[in-house]
Amino acid sequence: MSQDLSASLPGAQSPAADSLPADTVRVLEDLGRTVERVTEVRSMADVWALATEFQVDLLRFAGKLIVAFLVVLVFAGIYWVLARGLRPILERSRLEEDATHLLFVVLRYVVVGFGVLLALGQLGFNITGLLAGLGVAGLALGFAAKDTLANFIAGMTILWDRPFRVGDRVEIDGEFGQVKQITLRSTRIHTNRNIVVIIPNQNVVTNKVINHTMQATTRVDVPFGVAYKEDIEAARAAVLVLAEGDERIRSRPAPDVVVTEMAESSINFEFRFWLKNPHQEVPIEYEYTERIKKALDAAGIE
């Protein structure tokens, strides 16, 4: 009967035991032998000897668990110290909030994860085999989610390189609008049509990005044309007067009207002026297109 019992106990060898750490297998084998000896107890002396032996094995394994816990605790403390020291440095560097959060997440997983691996080593796990398994799993996951991974890496690049920030007005992949959110997967732009365009970060880093508000000021070029029979200076004077008294336009550099092309049926001009607030570029360009037409009509210029 004892042979049948031992075959079903944890101490018995099985294919699953080969995948456990040696210390864990040893404890389970000792537990199995202890249970076997329960059937052979004949006196209180046997009970005492059996309890003492089991207690020693259990305390030995509990000691390893405590050491493993302390290792994880120490590395958690190391992360806390590093995070506390890095935070003021990152605040002075004016790094984006999303980039700062991402950096702390990566730091936490690296430091605490290394501590967890060392703790598993204390318990007898094969760290080399575990790392190899994680590497294979990571490779398979990378192939399965390569587009998501590419967008994630592109998101980190955007947050670190900062070609634009939340609130900037940009032109990306043919879309113009204000940046509302930058995530690790996509960039969201609020266009002038009151719609939100979600652009994958991979497209952002591989396409030309035009940031209209990165500088403190920007120049607006408003095109218009007049007939060949009209006087250039008269047309210039009729348009330049429009900028006088407009507090939104800088006086230095001064507004200007230049000839850009001798076209087939018209002389083409550009009215150029610099804005104090780059965010007003589009509405002011539309406004002055209409005002130029009305000013030319009033001056009798075709």
Side-chain angles (χ1 to χ4, degrees):
M1 175 179 177
S2 62
Q3 291 179 351
D4 296 338
L5 179 62
S6 64
S8 63
L9 291 174
Q13 292 293 330
S14 66
D18 295 337
S19 61
L20 293 174
D23 290 344
T24 305
V25 172
R26 189 180 304 111
V27 171
L28 293 176
E29 290 176 348
D30 292 342
L31 179 61
R33 284 192 295 270
T34 301
V35 176
E36 284 183 20
R37 290 173 58 187
V38 169
T39 61
E40 301 172 1
V41 171
R42 296 292 182 270
S43 65
M44 289 302 297
D46 293 337
V47 172
W48 180 256
L50 185 63
T52 302
E53 182 180 345
F54 177 72
Q55 184 179 15
V56 170
D57 291 335
L58 191 61
L59 287 175
R60 185 185 302 117
F61 187 69
K64 291 183 178 294
L65 283 176
I66 292 174
V67 171
F69 175 76
L70 290 176
V71 168
V72 175
L73 194 63
V74 167
F75 276 86
I78 292 174
Y79 162 74
W80 183 83
V81 172
L82 290 175
R84 189 179 179 88
L86 282 175
R87 189 170 297 277
I89 297 175
L90 294 176
E91 288 177 355
R92 287 195 298 269
S93 68
R94 298 181 180 179
L95 193 63
E96 291 285 350
E97 182 66 26
D98 290 339
T100 302
H101 175 71
L102 174 64
L103 184 60
F104 282 120
V105 169
V106 173
L107 181 64
R108 180 169 65 247
Y109 277 109
V110 170
V111 175
V112 179
F114 186 70
V116 170
L117 288 177
L118 290 182
L120 292 176
Q122 291 292 324
L123 295 176
F125 283 89
N126 184 358
I127 302 301
T128 303
L130 182 62
L131 288 176
L134 290 175
V136 173
L139 186 62
L141 181 64
F143 277 114
K146 59 181 181 179
D147 290 337
T148 301
L149 186 60
N151 285 323
F152 178 83
I153 296 174
M156 290 192 295
T157 302
I158 293 171
L159 292 172
W160 188 263
D161 187 48
R162 293 189 294 178
F164 49 80
R165 300 182 180 183
V166 173
D168 284 355
R169 293 191 177 274
V170 298
E171 187 175 347
I172 305 173
D173 201 15
E175 297 290 344
F176 175 81
Q178 186 177 37
V179 178
K180 284 297 184 183
Q181 188 178 16
I182 305 171
T183 69
L184 292 178
R185 192 193 71 82
S186 62
T187 297
R188 304 186 179 194
I189 296 177
H190 188 191
T191 70
N192 294 330
R193 300 182 302 248
N194 198 32
I195 61 175
V196 176
V197 179
I198 302 173
I199 305 176
N201 286 330
Q202 188 177 8
N203 291 6
V204 175
V205 298
T206 56
N207 281 279
K208 181 174 68 175
V209 176
I210 302 176
N211 191 329
H212 291 254
T213 53
M214 179 175 283
Q215 302 299 324
T217 184
T218 189
R219 193 183 75 184
V220 177
D221 300 337
V222 184
F224 66 96
V226 301
Y228 269 96
K229 67 183 181 65
E230 303 295 348
D231 180 65
I232 291 178
E233 291 302 327
R236 178 177 286 116
V239 173
L240 277 176
V241 73
L242 296 176
E244 294 180 1
D246 194 333
E247 295 296 331
R248 301 168 298 177
I249 298 177
R250 291 180 177 274
S251 58
R252 293 289 181 272
D256 195 12
V257 175
V258 298
V259 177
T260 58
E261 183 184 13
M262 306 292 289
E264 182 176 348
S265 58
S266 65
I267 304 174
N268 293 337
F269 296 80
E270 276 187 359
F271 181 29
R272 298 175 176 177
F273 52 88
W274 294 83
L275 291 179
K276 295 179 180 179
N277 184 359
H279 290 272
Q280 297 176 335
E281 175 186 6
V282 174
I284 287 183
E285 180 180 353
Y286 293 157
E287 174 188 335
Y288 270 84
T289 299
E290 181 177 345
R291 291 183 65 185
I292 289 172
K293 173 63 169 65
K294 292 180 178 178
L296 294 176
D297 288 345
I301 299 174
E302 180 183 350

